[in-house]
Amino acid sequence: MKQYIIITILLFLTSCFNNRKTANNFAYQYQNRTMNQQIEYKLYTLANDSTLVYLQIPTQDFLPNANNQWHLMLNYQWYELDKPKTPIGTATTQFKVAHSNTTKITLQYTCKLPLNNNYRLHVFVQDQNGTKLLRNKWVINATESKHNYLLTDLNNKPLFDKYVKENTIFRLQYQQQNTTQWQVLYYKPIKNLALPPFMEQSNHYPNTPDSSFITNNPVALYQTGTYLFTPIHQANIPPFVLVCTDDNFPKLTSAADLATVTRYITKNEEYNQLINSPNIKLAIDDFWLKHAGSTDRGKLLIKEYYGRVQRANQLFTTYKEGWKTDQGLIYIIYGEPNAVWIDKGTEIWQYTSSARGNLFFSFALKNTPFDKQYFLERSATYDVNWHDAVFEWRKGIIANNN
């Protein structure tokens, strides 16, 4: 009975979203062709409902002026999620930035933003020396505790990635307080993978840390895994969650990692043979050649599958690597969603296929010891479709190759 209720709710929500003006399609945020051209944002909560907004802007198509500067015009618009017609805040400002070889620059501005609501932020950046216009929009939950923290490099420039690499030295700030010491909980790399969408899953995260310690600003992490930071003597506030990765992340390069990520499309015996092979690299090559049928097709499958793994790591890394999350699972197997609707606490992905019609996956934002995370609303009704999609990969067909 539960599975029919879930599907009915999904269809009802999708119908509602299609008819609500808050239901803009956010699928472009997950498209490979636009990922490197997108503006990134970071919020940092200040006092009295003030928020500092950092924007990381790609510069590859900007033209310098006669003074060797990028001359940019920034327009931003804030909307309450349920009131999309009238912005609660909007402004236009200009920036002149010295031209350099950097591929990204950071702009910042301060705005008033009550922290008890969900918002849509629209940003437009116009190159005044040329014709390039960049635009992005986001749904932002201002109540998330991560906005109370700011991760920067040693020059106090914000870091936009959802992870740091081993041996990176950084600073961490909390609500503009002069925090010099941090209580840290450490978890070894989390191995729990997302299960297929028709299976119930409860063991999303470990219950206890592997160790704890106190550290000072600036911070350096020398061990991969998940770290939870809280200001010293303030243990009751939500922590800042940070994943520390190896130097190659978000790419996977070791034979062991390349074998592990095939778990989503391998049978149990097949998977065990792969990861326990005396020559894992050769076993991986044989696996893809067997299912592709030819070397050229095998190379295409490898490029697409591991490319999706890399993008999942970029997009969905939270308290563990992105490919291990529920959203990463669906993204790897089904590819980029054709449509994405975001509402308060819910994100719905739609896949459209002439053969199968419409398929919907709903992700709910839930509280965890690692701050709020998106989890898939699972249902037994996904069983047949999931096995069909996996079967396509195993027959050398790229599932939902958009």
Side-chain angles (χ1 to χ4, degrees), residues 84 93 317:
T93 187
T317 293

Side-chain angles (χ1 to χ4, degrees), residues 29-164:
Q29 295 183 138
Y30 300 146
Q31 292 172 352
N32 181 37
R33 62 183 177 83
T34 62
M35 280 181 61
N36 293 327
Q37 302 171 6
Q38 290 184 21
I39 302 170
E40 300 288 341
Y41 82 92
K42 183 175 286 292
L43 303 188
Y44 183 41
T45 302
L46 307 177
N48 302 319
D49 284 344
S50 291
T51 298
L52 188 58
V53 182
Y54 293 96
L55 299 171
Q56 189 176 65
I57 315 292
T59 62
Q60 59 263 36
D61 294 320
F62 290 161
L63 300 176
N65 60 18
N67 296 320
N68 203 33
Q69 296 174 318
W70 286 309
H71 185 188
L72 307 176
M73 181 173 291
L74 167 68
N75 173 262
Y76 67 85
Q77 302 164 13
W78 286 94
Y79 299 83
E80 292 185 7
L81 190 60
D82 293 328
K83 300 175 182 178
K85 289 188 175 181
T86 305
I88 60 173
T90 182
T92 300
T93 187
Q94 296 188 44
F95 295 86
K96 291 184 178 180
V97 182
H99 178 257
S100 67
N101 293 326
T102 184
T103 58
K104 294 181 180 180
I105 58 174
T106 300
L107 308 179
Q108 68 181 68
Y109 67 90
T110 303
C111 64
K112 287 286 187 179
L113 191 69
L115 302 179
N116 59 351
N117 211 339
N118 292 267
Y119 302 96
R120 282 170 43 217
L121 171 60
H122 292 208
V123 169
F124 304 85
V125 179
Q126 175 74 55
D127 175 12
Q128 297 299 288
N129 305 313
T131 59
K132 184 65 176 179
L133 173 66
L134 297 178
R135 65 182 73 192
N136 267 69
K137 58 184 178 181
W138 304 274
V139 171
I140 296 174
N141 181 353
T143 67
E144 290 187 75
S145 61
K146 66 181 180 181
H147 303 313
N148 295 325
Y149 295 88
L150 181 64
L151 188 70
T152 72
D153 63 17
L154 293 182
N155 296 317
N156 294 318
K157 294 182 179 180
L159 301 176
F160 288 82
D161 285 334
K162 300 178 181 180
Y163 51 86
V164 296

